[in-house]
Amino acid sequence: MTEQIYLSSPDVGALEEEYLVTAIRSGWVAPSGPDVDAFERELAARTGVDHAVALNSATAGLHLALLALGVGPGQSVVVPTLTFVATANAVAYTGAEPVFVDCDERTGNIDVDLLAALLARTDRRWPPVRAVIPVDMFGRCADYHTLLPVCAAYGIPVVEDAAEALGASLAGRPAGSFGHVGVFSFNGNKIMTTSGGGMVVTDDENLASRCRHLAAQARQPVAHYEHAEVGYNYRLSNLLAALGRAQLRRLDSMVARRRELRARYAKAFAGVPGVRLLGDDGDAADLGGNCWLTVIVVDPARSGWTAAALGDYLTRRHIETRPVWKPMHRQPVFATAHRMLTGAADRLFANGLALPSGSALGDEQMSRVLAAIHRFVDGDRALR
Ligand SMILES: *Cc1c(COP(=O)(O)O)cnc(C)c1O
């Protein structure tokens, strides 16, 4: 039977096993412990921020970051329409409304001109904007050089959804450090994994301790169980933090591997008319992206085939692919949400295809993927 090749499978091995076993033997099998503390310190150092709070998901991190900023009912939060649903869900959890803004078709990141136009609106049809959540799409930082001054001009805090971007940077500055608060994900398919987990990072000590407090059921620091407000059970297990510490040690090599795969795709599609790599307007390493997923964008009028047809062809050959995120303004759950659109996200959804990009992908597997792509591009369209 042909082995299945996945889009982005976990890359774990002996080092992770060693850290996990050591943590179990330490007896700290709880949602706190020395590995949680160390993981927070190490990730804060890696990101160049003062504080980090380990959580059981990035979704929880986005939720707490918004709560800590005081976001709630009667307010709105700007979210790029091209993102994973967690970004918008976290807004909904607070009782605020997401407002969807379209993306820059070149990179898939939030369209800052459109964001500026939205913030400049003086009519009061929408609830006041209380935060903006740029997403570092597929591991490439949003355009913070232009975005941060726009948000600062209105005094609006930025929550950086860096769930896909750990290890990426922009002009030498690490992803996650651009907003008032940044959020990372360690889900199974992300750049590194704890099987499930997340982290809030910030230079704001009050914001960090507020997140920490809310994540532990808002328990007051007294011996009896005292609670003055509703909290959440969002803390990360010490065992999973140990797994995360091992992964963090290997992060650079995992990013290097993903960049290598990106370069091989770039070469494979270089002469193919009507195909570009999303966000590939230079050398991947220069751009600072972590190359979490490599996405091609197909112009069927020029290529003679669609992204979906290549996806089907690869699926039949046990090679996993995926469309880019279905835009939030197209999701039934957010059907009535406010939006400012140009059509860019819709076009990327129609014409984009994410290819196997995981750092655990071996050379032989990658050769199989590229050989299948070459055959398809050369005219073999059979859905055998
Ligand atoms: C994966 C992802 C999340 C959610 O991360 P979890 O850790 O699974 O909660 C949020 N935002 C984006 C952009 C993501 O890709």
Side-chain angles (χ1 to χ4, degrees):
M1 229 188 79
T2 316
E3 177 208 12
Q4 176 72 29
I5 292 177
Y6 293 100
L7 198 69
S8 178
S9 45
D11 182 354
V12 294
L15 190 69
E16 287 76 8
E17 187 178 335
E18 182 193 319
Y19 270 64
L20 199 47
V21 167
T22 304
I24 289 174
R25 290 184 181 153
S26 78
W28 285 99
V29 185
S32 64
D35 285 296
V36 172
D37 299 342
F39 189 33
E40 289 177 344
R41 276 197 309 275
E42 289 160 6
L43 199 98
R46 167 86 205 200
T47 311
V49 299
D50 292 338
H51 308 281
V53 183
L55 301 167
N56 56 21
S57 74
T59 310
L62 291 166
H63 183 197
L64 294 186
L66 293 172
L67 291 178
L69 288 169
V71 171
Q75 306 178 347
S76 65
V77 174
V78 176
V79 171
T81 193
L82 188 71
T83 185
F84 178 55
V85 71
T87 321
N89 278 346
V91 175
Y93 297 165
T94 68
E97 296 176 31
V99 177
F100 298 122
V101 168
D102 220 317
C103 65
D104 174 341
E105 203 162 344
R106 207 172 39 93
T107 62
N109 281 325
I110 191 166
D111 180 332
V112 178
D113 290 340
L114 210 56
L115 170 68
L118 186 151
L119 296 180
R121 291 160 52 106
T122 49
D123 66 279
R124 285 270 164 260
R125 273 197 300 132
W126 303 345
V129 174
R130 284 292 182 257
V132 173
I133 315 184
V135 176
D136 299 331
M137 189 48 55
F138 301 123
R140 169 151 175 192
C141 286
D143 183 5
Y144 292 108
H145 299 311
T146 54
L147 184 146
L148 294 177
V150 165
C151 293
Y154 294 90
I156 295 174
V158 170
V159 176
E160 180 182 357
D161 183 343
E164 304 172 1
L166 182 62
S169 61
L170 179 67
R173 190 168 152 191
S177 71
F178 288 95
H180 292 79
V181 47
V183 181
F184 293 117
S185 171
F186 315 122
N187 207 328
N189 62 356
K190 291 298 191 323
I191 193 93
M192 69 169 234
T193 185
T194 59
S195 76
M199 190 88 77
V200 161
V201 291
T202 182
D203 283 330
D204 182 335
E205 187 175 359
N206 290 331
L207 199 141
S209 55
R210 181 85 186 123
C211 288
R212 201 179 291 284
H213 178 66
L214 289 172
Q217 304 282 23
R219 185 183 166 190
Q220 297 290 326
V222 290
H224 61 277
Y225 285 75
E226 179 88 3
H227 305 271
E229 61 187 320
V230 173
Y232 304 86
N233 182 8
Y234 279 171
R235 291 291 273 157
L236 184 69
S237 153
N238 191 65
L239 299 183
L240 301 186
L243 187 55
R245 293 183 68 199
Q247 287 265 283
L248 195 55
R249 277 186 57 185
R250 297 182 46 237
L251 178 62
D252 287 333
S253 67
M254 293 194 291
V255 169
R257 176 62 178 165
R258 290 197 192 237
R259 284 180 175 158
E260 206 177 293
L261 299 178
R262 167 75 55 97
R264 293 188 68 184
Y265 283 124
K267 207 169 141 207
F269 285 106
V272 180
V275 180
R276 68 178 173 97
L277 267 55
L278 183 64
D280 209 18
D281 41 3
D283 180 45
D286 277 357
L287 292 170
N290 67 7
C291 297
W292 173 56
L293 291 183
T294 291
V295 172
I296 56 165
V297 184
V298 180
D299 174 0
R302 289 182 56 219
S303 61
W305 46 272
T306 63
L310 174 59
D312 289 343
Y313 183 88
L314 295 176
T315 301
R316 297 294 174 111
R317 283 151 186 82
H318 308 280
I319 297 168
E320 187 184 24
T321 63
R322 211 183 284 161
V324 302
W325 305 121
K326 181 173 179 176
M328 290 302 109
H329 71 271
R330 295 267 167 216
Q331 301 290 355
V333 63
F334 295 120
T336 61
H338 298 297
R339 72 246 353 241
M340 270 181 93
L341 304 175
T342 60
D346 280 336
R347 286 191 292 275
L348 288 179
F349 178 58
N351 298 320
L353 189 71
L355 301 169
S357 308
S359 50
L361 207 67
D363 283 336
E364 240 166 76
Q365 292 174 309
M366 188 59 180
S367 298
R368 219 182 93 202
V369 174
L370 292 176
I373 288 172
H374 283 306
R375 276 196 304 278
F376 177 87
V377 167
D378 290 345
D380 175 17
R381 305 278 195 272
L383 285 181
R384 281 175 270 110

